[in-house]
């Protein structure tokens, strides 16, 4: 319903059944934490009337204005209205047509839009190897930029510890550990993924806020909450899990709801990574780790399924951060931990560049044996 506080949570069992007065006291404490930590805008979302109904539809954010809607099919899929789709598409069209030579202006274009609509726009796409060469030049320059921005004085020992750490937690191949993060079956479709993630979004914010606080950061000044838009969600699924997408299966989409924490030093990042690993699947007693976060009376179930240390293995383009997948009452969201110097360099341009790098991070398409050279 539309009442205050966090949405209902599944019952959990402890060593001994708590008394009714203990339950009331713990729930009151949990609600107090929730009300204090979670911004009003997020609280309004997770307390929307009807959100607990599995048939509730208005959970897809509009590409243009972010208003929640239920348009998952039809001519204005992913938009709250036909007018907003036209406005968004016209703006993308204008920006794309303004680029006359893609070898010079590709970095000004939206990679997902170009990939989907180049034919409609009439954009002349250069041969793969030529464009890949241009993109690789930019990638090398960006890698150098991020390396030069790393601390080189008082923080160097902590930075070395980050770089010498395990690239992946828990141990395993990237494919094996990714499978640990898969969403439950009740998050199969895009709508159900958004719906169930919205129910846990407030708890994600609480967890990240206390993680930041435990390292000495003020969450209000150093945290950002985000929701992936549907066209990007679909594009990423098509690129990485095309067979699942063909079945309308979005269970591998585990970064739809995310919180970014911006740290001032490598020492703060090391502190947060240590806490995150304490919430791994194999942890026997989570109570001590909840106490570390100041959440001793918070009874949601937090499991850190994966931590990627991209200071050991940077992302394409050289960006370095920590990416953790946290399962909250079954649903998996993402916590990103950034180093401020790198975060301020990245901005939106660096994020869009990373999409281009991923699109061209493979060998050129092979010609058929009987095709001309």
């Amino acid at each position: 319903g539309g009442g205050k506080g966090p949405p209902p949570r599944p019952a959990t069992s402890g060593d001994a059944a708590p008394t009714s007065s203990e339950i009331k006291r713990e729930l009151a404490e949990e609600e107090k934490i929730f009300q204090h930590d979670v911004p009003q805008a997020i609280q309004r979302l997770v307390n929307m009337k009807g959100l607990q109904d599995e048939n509730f539809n208005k959970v897809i954010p509009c590409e243009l204005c972010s208003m929640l809607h239920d348009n998952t099919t039809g001519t204005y899929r992913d938009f709250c209205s036909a007018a907003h789709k036209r406005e968004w598409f016209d703006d993308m069209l204008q920006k794309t047509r303004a680029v006359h030579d893609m070898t010079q202006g590709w970095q000004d274009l939206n990679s997902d839009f170009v990939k989907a609509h180049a034919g409609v726009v009439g954009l002349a796409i250069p041969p793969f190897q030529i464009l890949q060469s241009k993109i690789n030049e930019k990638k090398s320059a960006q890698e150098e930029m991020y390396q030069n921005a790393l601390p080189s004085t008082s923080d160097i020992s902590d930075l070395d510890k980050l770089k010498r750490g395990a690239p992946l937690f828990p141990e395993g191949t990237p494919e094996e550990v990714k499978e640990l993060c898969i969403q439950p079956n009740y998050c199969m479709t895009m709508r159900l993924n958004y719906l169930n993630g919205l129910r846990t979004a407030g708890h994600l914010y609480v967890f990240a806020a206390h993680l930041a606080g435990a390292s000495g950061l003020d969450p209000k000044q150093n945290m950002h909450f985000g929701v992936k838009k549907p066209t990007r969600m679909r594009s990423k699924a098509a690129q990485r899990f095309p067979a699942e997408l063909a079945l309308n299966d979005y269970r591998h989409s585990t970064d739809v709801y995310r919180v970014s924490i911006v740290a001032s030093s490598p020492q703060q990042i090391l502190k947060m990574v240590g806490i995150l690993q304490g919430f791994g699947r194999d942890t026997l007693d989570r109570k001590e780790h909840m106490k570390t976060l100041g959440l001793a009376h918070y009874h949601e179930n937090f499991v850190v399924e994966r931590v990627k240390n991209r200071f050991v293995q940077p992302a394409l383009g050289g960006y370095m951060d920590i990416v953790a997948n946290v399962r909250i009452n079954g649903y998996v969201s993402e916590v990103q931990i950034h180093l401020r110097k790198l975060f301020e360099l990245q901005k939106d341009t660096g994020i869009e560049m990373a999409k281009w790098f991923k699109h061209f991070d493979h060998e050129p398409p092979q010609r058929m044996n009987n095709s001309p050279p």
Side-chain angles (χ1 to χ4, degrees):
K4 294 181 178 180
R9 58 182 173 82
T12 56
S13 58
D15 296 331
T19 65
S20 59
S21 60
E22 288 174 333
I23 292 173
K24 288 179 181 178
R25 185 165 59 251
E26 290 176 352
L27 288 175
E29 181 64 28
E30 181 171 321
E31 182 172 330
K32 182 179 177 181
I33 293 171
F34 191 92
Q35 294 286 335
H36 178 269
D37 291 348
V38 181
Q40 288 296 315
I42 300 175
Q43 288 193 40
R44 284 194 294 271
L45 287 176
V46 302
N47 285 314
M48 284 191 302
K49 186 176 181 180
L51 187 60
Q52 298 309 312
D53 183 352
E54 285 299 320
N55 296 314
F56 188 70
N57 288 323
K58 292 190 175 183
V59 291
I60 312 291
C62 175
E63 285 289 333
L64 181 67
C65 69
S66 297
M67 179 182 290
L68 299 183
H69 61 84
D70 58 357
N71 299 319
T72 56
T73 60
T75 56
Y76 54 101
R77 178 181 74 177
D78 303 339
F79 293 84
C80 66
S81 68
H84 275 195
K85 179 176 182 179
R86 173 50 58 191
E87 182 180 344
W88 178 87
F89 193 87
D90 286 349
D91 180 61
M92 286 290 184
L93 199 63
Q94 184 177 357
K95 290 177 178 176
T96 304
R97 285 178 171 166
V99 174
H100 302 291
D101 181 359
M102 195 172 168
T103 61
Q104 301 300 319
W106 62 269
Q107 62 268 36
D108 298 323
L109 299 173
N110 181 293
S111 60
D112 292 329
F113 184 83
V114 169
K115 190 175 180 182
H117 301 291
V120 176
V121 175
L123 181 67
I125 299 180
F128 184 92
Q129 286 110 324
I130 293 176
L131 189 54
Q132 185 183 50
S133 174
K134 295 289 184 179
I135 290 173
N136 283 342
E137 287 177 13
K138 180 67 176 179
K139 184 170 70 170
S140 297
Q142 191 166 288
E143 288 169 352
E144 184 177 357
M145 176 187 72
Y146 286 132
Q147 284 292 336
N148 291 339
L150 288 172
S152 57
T153 53
S154 60
D155 290 327
I156 193 67
S157 61
D158 290 323
L159 181 62
D160 283 343
K161 288 178 185 177
L162 268 177
K163 289 186 169 184
R164 291 197 306 268
L168 198 60
F169 169 87
E171 292 183 358
T173 67
E175 294 77 16
E176 290 169 344
V177 180
K178 172 62 178 175
E179 288 304 306
L180 297 177
C181 305
I182 194 168
Q183 300 285 12
N185 288 339
Y186 56 79
C187 298
M188 178 74 73
T189 66
M190 178 183 283
R191 181 187 70 83
L192 289 172
N193 194 313
Y194 274 115
L195 172 65
N196 287 286
L198 193 52
R199 291 171 175 172
T200 62
H203 303 310
L204 168 66
Y205 198 95
V206 168
F207 181 85
H210 283 253
L211 179 64
S215 69
L217 291 165
D218 179 359
K220 293 181 179 179
Q221 302 296 323
N222 299 285
M223 270 178 49
H224 308 273
F225 177 81
V227 183
K228 187 181 289 295
K229 294 293 181 65
T231 56
R232 179 57 188 159
M233 185 176 173
R234 190 178 293 106
S235 174
K236 193 172 178 181
Q239 186 177 9
R240 299 187 182 183
F241 301 98
E244 287 86 344
L245 180 62
L247 299 172
N248 199 28
D249 181 351
Y250 284 87
R251 287 177 298 159
H252 279 103
S253 298
T254 57
D255 61 348
V256 179
Y257 294 87
R258 57 268 183 108
V259 173
S260 296
I261 302 171
V262 184
S264 302
S265 69
Q267 182 182 36
Q268 291 171 329
I269 296 177
L270 283 169
K271 172 81 171 177
M272 286 185 274
V273 169
I275 293 172
L276 286 169
Q277 291 179 350
F279 282 88
R281 273 197 184 194
D282 296 335
T283 299
L284 296 177
D285 184 4
R286 300 176 189 277
K287 292 179 181 178
E288 287 303 314
H289 301 290
M290 292 293 279
K291 288 180 182 177
T292 299
L293 292 182
L295 293 174
H297 297 290
Y298 208 80
H299 292 278
E300 309 310 317
N301 187 25
F302 299 106
V303 179
V304 173
E305 298 283 25
R306 176 176 67 167
V307 180
K308 289 195 293 185
N309 183 345
R310 298 202 295 198
F311 288 88
V312 178
Q313 294 180 350
L316 290 174
Y319 191 73
M320 288 162 275
D321 61 357
I322 301 293
V323 179
N325 291 108
V326 184
R327 191 180 296 277
I328 306 170
N329 298 341
Y331 183 86
V332 180
S333 297
E334 185 173 273
V335 174
Q336 304 170 355
I337 304 175
H338 304 269
L339 186 61
R340 182 169 298 281
K341 287 185 177 180
L342 303 183
F343 183 77
E344 290 176 348
L345 281 175
Q346 184 193 41
K347 298 187 172 20
D348 291 339
T349 303
I351 293 171
E352 186 56 46
M353 289 298 99
K355 295 176 187 177
W356 279 109
F357 300 155
K358 289 175 183 176
H359 284 315
F360 283 82
D361 184 43
H362 58 85
E363 294 300 313
Q366 297 297 310
R367 293 193 301 268
M368 300 296 290
N369 290 335
N370 61 351
S371 61

